[in-house]
Amino acid sequence: MTTPSAPQGDEGPRWLSDEEQRVWQSYLHGTLLLEDHLDRRLQRDAGMPHIYYALLVHLSQAPDMALRMTELAKGVKITRSRLSHAVARLEASGWVGREECPSDKRGQIARLTESGREKLRASAPDHVSAVRQAIFDRLSPEQVTQLGEIMRVMATGLEPEGTGADLPWRR
Amino acid sequence: MTTPSAPQGDEGPRWLSDEEQRVWQSYLHGTLLLEDHLDRRLQRDAGMPHIYYALLVHLSQAPDMALRMTELAKGVKITRSRLSHAVARLEASGWVGREECPSDKRGQIARLTESGREKLRASAPDHVSAVRQAIFDRLSPEQVTQLGEIMRVMATGLEPEGTGADLPWRR
């Protein structure tokens, strides 16, 4: 069950094949390089990292441009503590406001401000160009479809419905 | 060039189609969930985040299990400042040692220690299982091949050879 050079485990894990190792390395390199690239571009052009931008986009697509903090964390797949930190920074920049949740005194609502909407309008064109140049202009239409399906399979497996899985926004 | 609801830019960017937006969302969700999952598993089982583990793996595959810091940053696609911080932590844990570079007084070499090799041997089985369960056991062989090719195209585009591109390890 193990390759000769692989370390021995008690349960004889199935080590990755050479091809799987190459795919895994490419995955790590591609995803790290893309995240770094988008972060740099957004920091330069919009003054914020990619995950902050994703929060503004998510709020802009919500009814009344507002969401409970727990829903926002779930929507963007981050922990509540990371969200709290990010929203505090976005609030300081005037792009997001926080309000008490009317139906739950302990809950909070984050709302995109007019200034936040303006920020999104101003930075969206460059960000979309960056995403397009890095991915959609490089892949064939078949590869775009394949990537979508592969990522859906991965995300669904990591976020099984109706289970007590250890997911970021539950922490 | 813009969809009705899209913000207007000076240059009329080509907004993402509905399908491209879905693929992009799936990409963000899949990659964030996987990174969180692997980070949590490694933190629990090996006492370090995923990027630290990747540094140990990279050193273990180098000649004499040692690399110049600049080569290590390039190999793992991170900035030099992030690497310095990580290596300082790995050194404090006894898993990596730092030495002066004989050929360059200003350069430094990072070397995997015996304790670092033991740490890798002990934590590899669980990590490989986590990667396999999250990706390779879920995708068909065709999808694995497709993912590798897609990620190679993306990484190559973001890391063009012989250019002055703004890459993490040059900062």
Side-chain angles (χ1 to χ4, degrees):
Chain A
M1 290 286 277
T2 58
T3 56
S5 65
Q8 291 284 337
D10 290 333
E11 309 213 311
R14 289 177 298 131
W15 300 104
L16 300 186
S17 68
D18 289 351
E19 164 68 2
E20 286 169 338
Q21 282 187 46
R22 278 193 292 273
V23 171
W24 181 230
Q25 279 305 305
S26 298
Y27 175 90
L28 292 177
H29 290 176
T31 54
L32 275 166
L33 286 169
L34 180 59
E35 188 54 21
D36 179 78
H37 180 66
L38 296 182
D39 246 356
R40 291 283 280 184
R41 290 271 296 236
L42 279 166
Q43 202 76 62
R44 184 192 72 186
D45 299 328
M48 72 182 96
H50 186 204
I51 200 75
Y52 288 25
Y53 185 87
L55 290 169
L56 298 187
V57 168
H58 204 75
L59 284 175
S60 78
Q61 294 167 341
D64 297 326
M65 302 202 179
L67 280 173
R68 288 177 63 135
M69 292 285 276
T70 46
E71 289 302 306
L72 184 53
K74 185 176 180 181
V76 182
K77 315 293 176 199
I78 60 176
T79 61
R80 284 185 279 189
S81 70
R82 191 173 179 198
L83 177 68
S84 289
H85 183 73
V87 166
R89 298 288 296 271
L90 291 168
E91 193 174 28
S93 299
W95 300 327
V96 168
R98 275 185 287 190
E99 307 159 15
E100 270 193 16
C101 181
S103 62
D104 173 6
K105 287 285 184 217
R106 290 165 307 168
Q108 265 195 329
I109 285 174
R111 187 185 302 275
L112 193 64
T113 63
E114 178 51 40
S115 170
R117 290 198 284 279
E118 180 50 42
K119 188 75 197 171
L120 263 188
R121 272 192 291 271
S123 40
D126 179 75
H127 177 65
V128 169
S129 294
V131 170
R132 186 171 279 295
Q133 283 164 22
I135 299 194
F136 296 105
D137 285 353
R138 293 195 179 276
L139 301 179
S140 69
E142 292 73 28
Q143 286 178 313
V144 170
T145 305
Q146 291 162 4
L147 180 62
E149 182 57 23
I150 287 167
M151 288 293 162
R152 269 187 291 277
V153 168
M154 266 177 50
T156 306
L158 289 161
E159 191 182 0
E161 274 181 51
T163 70
D166 172 32
L167 293 165
W169 54 94
R170 293 189 187 148
R171 280 173 226 147
Chain B
M1 289 287 277
T2 56
T3 55
S5 64
Q8 292 284 335
D10 291 332
E11 309 212 310
R14 289 177 299 132
W15 301 106
L16 300 186
S17 68
D18 288 351
E19 164 67 2
E20 286 168 337
Q21 283 188 46
R22 277 193 293 272
V23 171
W24 181 230
Q25 279 305 304
S26 297
Y27 175 92
L28 292 176
H29 290 176
T31 55
L32 275 166
L33 286 169
L34 180 59
E35 188 55 21
D36 179 79
H37 180 65
L38 296 181
D39 247 356
R40 291 283 280 184
R41 289 273 295 238
L42 280 166
Q43 202 76 63
R44 183 192 71 186
D45 299 327
M48 72 182 95
H50 186 205
I51 200 75
Y52 289 25
Y53 184 87
L55 290 168
L56 297 187
V57 168
H58 203 74
L59 285 176
S60 77
Q61 294 167 340
D64 297 326
M65 303 202 180
L67 281 173
R68 288 177 62 133
M69 292 286 277
T70 46
E71 290 303 306
L72 185 53
K74 186 177 180 181
V76 182
K77 314 293 176 199
I78 61 175
T79 62
R80 285 184 278 186
S81 70
R82 192 173 178 197
L83 178 68
S84 290
H85 183 72
V87 167
R89 298 288 296 271
L90 291 168
E91 194 174 26
S93 298
W95 301 327
V96 168
R98 274 185 288 190
E99 306 159 14
E100 269 194 17
C101 180
S103 63
D104 173 6
K105 289 283 185 217
R106 290 166 308 170
Q108 267 194 328
I109 285 174
R111 188 185 302 277
L112 194 63
T113 63
E114 178 50 41
S115 169
R117 290 198 283 281
E118 180 48 43
K119 188 74 199 173
L120 263 188
R121 272 193 291 272
S123 40
D126 179 74
H127 178 64
V128 170
S129 293
V131 170
R132 185 172 279 296
Q133 283 164 23
I135 299 195
F136 295 106
D137 285 352
R138 292 195 179 276
L139 301 179
S140 70
E142 292 73 28
Q143 286 179 314
V144 169
T145 304
Q146 291 162 3
L147 179 62
E149 181 57 23
I150 287 167
M151 287 293 161
R152 271 188 289 277
V153 169
M154 264 177 53
T156 306
L158 288 162
E159 191 181 0
E161 275 182 49
T163 69
D166 171 33
L167 293 165
W169 54 93
R170 294 192 185 145
R171 279 174 226 145

